Amino acid sequence: MTIALIIYFSLALFLVVRLLLYGIRPTKTLGWLLAIFTIPVGGMLFYYVLGRNRRKNKFYRLKKTEEITAYLKTVKDYYDDIDDDEDLTIPAPIKSHIKLVKLIAKNSNFLPSQGNELTVLKDGPVTFEAIFEAMESAKKFIHIQYYIFEEGELADRFLSILQKKRKEGVEVRFLYDGLGSNTLSKTYINHLKKSGIEVYGFLPIRFKRLLSSINYRNHRKIVVVDGLTAFTGGINVSDKYLNGDPVLGTWHDMHLRLRGPVVSSLQAVFAMDWNFASGKDDILTLGYFSAIPEIGKSIVQTVSSGPDSDFPSVHQLYFSLINRAKKYVYIINPYIIPGEAIMEALQVAALGGVDVRILLSSNSDSFLVKWSVQSYFENFLEAGIKIYLYPDGFLHSKVMFSDDQLTTIGTANLDVRSFEQNYEVNILAYDKELTEQLKHDFLKDCKISRQMDYHEFKKRPKLDRLKEGFAKVFSPVL
């Protein structure tokens, strides 16, 4: 017994030292200290699984070869001295948002690119038809990456097309998240492999790495075809995007088809994830990065973020968009568990006269998420933030746009998990036309939604408050 106590307190002391050395926020550090000393053994276990600061430890550093490093290197100092530059070749949208451009470039290593064509794809049927059409036209390679890839009608269509293209000599690489796609059967994976398709899981769930990897997931959804066309956004591969959900109804989401120079940055994100999962350097070469001609008018910048990032890039993107807004900032996101900084930014914006609106579903796909999200409503409403509950199905889109100028669509939710623990990728468009189009659709959706009233919400039952408080305790790990 004495030996066990000595070991226990030695481990506890070790974890305390780690927290003091690598803790991010005082409140979070204090919470873990209390857990370690008040929940015997369990507190340590929870900290080991959920609490370690991967960003400081650089545990999941994704590899960049010399070629890729050289490809990204131009970012570092490119915009450092142009704040007062009158060079007319620099587009006005970039000059107008130069600090935001620099922030993303230095965090994610991707410059804004001109001459892109962006197509907004709403909901599953439209999105998957566009993806299948692009894959059918592939001549060189198809790269696929999903957080959730479920077997069913869509998965069968993917398999059929990929097998066909592989017979035609097209290279196919298939990457899935080990937890999000945990229902993907060995039979399906073997069908892919037997067809000559390379398949790897990102941090697969294995006992020896279970505690160190289960909380850090690759939430990205990327498809790249021939380095010329790419897709990303919130849509996973699941038949609920075609047939709806028996409880939640129609599953609404938003994706993007991208053509133009921005495709190279999404290819770079895939290539580094592929190397991490497979250990192969084969696509970390410039041969997979085409010199893509300018085919559109959109200026676009890719924002990637994960436990390997020096800073939480997507978090800083969302914070910046809210903080910079002068007229309005509109948000569609199902999982709004904002944390202190985003919460403060939203409140300051609304109190300062900015029209801040949040559109989310009346229903949720998770009990804990529903009540955790709702626990922030009173503070939102008190500050003048308008909340609209969409009545038709489930909104899974991750969209934010402001001032008829800036739009971001991607994979990242507005929560701690997306900011700190998941690998995410968003697209930021410096695009007036796109933003105005989304604004028009957003306001139409607000009209058919129920706007929440602060005074009415304050009268909610105490049982609801209790559920909110209980769920909020778990919000950092949702």
Side-chain angles (χ1 to χ4, degrees):
M1 186 68 177
T2 304
I3 295 175
L5 286 173
I6 291 173
I7 294 173
Y8 176 80
F9 283 108
S10 297
L11 287 172
L13 181 61
F14 172 74
L15 294 181
V16 168
V17 172
R18 284 183 60 87
L19 275 165
L20 295 176
L21 286 174
Y22 301 117
I24 301 175
R25 293 181 296 275
T27 52
K28 193 171 182 180
T29 299
L30 180 59
W32 282 118
L33 287 173
L34 289 172
I36 288 169
F37 284 108
T38 58
I39 308 174
V41 181
M44 292 185 189
L45 183 62
F46 284 136
Y47 170 75
Y48 189 77
V49 176
L50 304 173
R52 289 185 295 167
N53 187 348
R54 298 293 186 188
R55 179 164 286 111
K56 291 293 184 184
N57 297 338
K58 306 297 181 189
F59 187 81
Y60 293 127
R61 172 63 67 186
L62 300 187
K63 181 177 179 179
K64 299 181 182 72
T65 63
E66 290 183 7
E67 279 192 285
I68 293 295
T69 301
Y71 172 75
L72 301 173
K73 191 175 187 306
T74 55
V75 174
K76 296 298 184 183
D77 304 310
Y78 191 82
Y79 285 101
D80 280 356
D81 302 314
I82 66 171
D83 295 83
D84 301 316
D85 196 325
E86 298 300 325
D87 187 349
L88 296 179
T89 62
I90 299 170
I94 292 180
K95 277 199 167 186
S96 299
H97 303 287
I98 192 63
K99 290 185 178 179
L100 180 60
V101 168
K102 286 183 179 182
L103 173 71
I104 296 169
K106 290 186 176 180
N107 274 351
S108 295
N109 288 337
F110 295 119
L111 296 168
S113 60
Q114 302 178 60
N116 298 287
E117 177 190 88
L118 268 65
T119 304
V120 175
L121 305 171
K122 294 183 180 180
D123 295 342
V126 172
T127 298
F128 288 111
E129 283 310 309
I131 290 173
F132 295 147
E133 181 183 353
M135 293 197 307
E136 289 276 16
S137 69
K139 298 292 189 292
K140 297 178 181 178
F141 65 84
I142 300 172
H143 292 159
I144 295 173
Q145 172 176 359
Y146 279 99
Y147 173 63
I148 295 174
F149 196 99
E150 293 180 352
E151 290 176 66
E153 182 181 340
L154 283 171
D156 289 345
R157 183 87 181 272
F158 268 95
L159 179 61
S160 176
I161 294 173
L162 295 179
Q163 288 176 326
K164 173 187 171 186
K165 299 312 292 186
R166 190 68 195 97
K167 287 179 181 178
E168 294 174 6
V170 174
E171 296 177 12
V172 181
R173 294 175 178 86
F174 183 98
L175 183 61
Y176 64 93
D177 182 77
L179 180 64
S181 300
N182 67 308
T183 62
L184 194 60
S185 69
K186 290 183 179 179
T187 301
Y188 188 92
I189 293 171
N190 286 336
H191 282 318
L192 291 170
K193 290 181 177 179
K194 288 178 181 177
S195 302
I197 296 165
E198 293 188 80
V199 184
Y200 286 93
F202 194 99
L203 288 176
I205 305 303
R206 293 172 181 160
F207 181 76
K208 65 179 181 180
R209 296 187 65 181
L210 180 64
L211 296 182
S212 64
S213 65
I214 193 170
N215 200 42
Y216 299 89
R217 309 315 316 170
N218 197 314
H219 197 241
R220 294 167 180 156
K221 300 97 181 169
I222 297 172
V223 175
V224 181
V225 178
D226 290 345
L228 300 174
T229 304
F231 299 85
T232 193
I235 297 181
N236 291 290
V237 176
S238 171
D239 284 356
K240 62 191 172 190
Y241 281 105
L242 299 182
N243 308 319
D245 183 278
V247 176
L248 298 176
T250 304
W251 201 279
H252 300 287
D253 213 328
M254 198 171 292
H255 228 62
L256 283 174
R257 181 180 65 196
L258 304 105
R259 291 172 175 159
V262 68
V263 174
S264 288
S265 60
L266 286 169
Q267 169 63 13
V269 174
F270 177 88
M272 288 182 280
D273 285 351
W274 179 259
N275 170 261
F276 181 86
S278 69
K280 297 180 179 181
D281 294 343
D282 51 346
I283 62 171
L284 282 169
T285 64
L286 295 184
Y288 286 87
F289 297 86
S290 307
I292 306 172
E294 296 184 6
I295 62 172
K297 299 178 180 179
S298 294
I299 299 171
V300 183
Q301 197 166 11
T302 297
V303 187
S304 62
S305 185
D308 62 312
S309 306
D310 292 326
F311 300 96
S313 307
V314 172
H315 179 273
Q316 292 182 350
L317 166 66
Y318 286 158
F319 179 86
S320 297
L321 290 185
I322 298 164
N323 193 47
R324 294 170 62 85
K326 293 180 173 58
K327 297 178 181 178
Y328 74 84
V329 58
Y330 295 158
I331 299 167
I332 309 171
N333 206 297
Y335 310 123
I336 299 178
I337 305 171
E340 295 174 10
I342 297 293
M343 184 75 181
E344 189 78 13
L346 288 167
Q347 289 175 322
V348 167
L351 290 167
V354 175
D355 182 14
V356 181
R357 302 191 187 194
I358 297 172
L359 178 65
L360 68 166
S361 297
S362 299
N363 298 317
S364 176
D365 60 339
S366 166
F367 170 86
L368 279 176
V369 169
K370 173 187 175 180
W371 293 104
S372 184
V373 170
Q374 189 169 305
S375 71
Y376 294 91
F377 283 1
E378 186 169 331
N379 287 332
F380 284 152
L381 293 167
E382 186 178 19
I385 296 167
K386 299 169 186 172
I387 300 174
Y388 295 85
L389 300 181
Y390 189 73
D392 178 25
F394 182 62
L395 282 176
H396 191 254
S397 306
K398 299 94 165 57
V399 184
M400 184 183 294
F401 49 98
S402 65
D403 291 352
D404 295 345
Q405 297 179 42
L406 302 170
T407 294
T408 181
I409 299 174
T411 69
N413 295 308
L414 213 69
D415 62 9
V416 174
R417 174 164 293 281
S418 283
F419 297 156
E420 299 285 347
Q421 296 158 355
N422 286 346
Y423 292 94
E424 305 281 4
V425 63
N426 272 42
I427 295 297
L428 175 62
Y430 304 81
D431 190 313
K432 187 175 188 295
E433 184 178 333
L434 173 67
T435 306
E436 289 180 340
Q437 173 194 335
L438 290 173
K439 175 185 176 183
H440 177 265
D441 292 345
F442 179 90
L443 293 176
K444 281 177 59 179
D445 287 339
C446 286
K447 286 181 180 179
I448 65 170
S449 300
R450 178 171 69 89
Q451 183 176 356
M452 301 195 69
D453 178 81
Y454 171 61
H455 299 289
E456 181 183 331
F457 185 72
K458 280 190 70 176
K459 298 175 184 176
R460 67 196 184 280
K462 288 186 178 179
L463 180 59
D464 285 4
R465 291 178 181 270
L466 186 62
K467 292 176 183 177
E468 292 167 12
F470 175 80
K472 197 169 187 178
V473 171
F474 293 91
S475 63
V477 298
L478 293 178

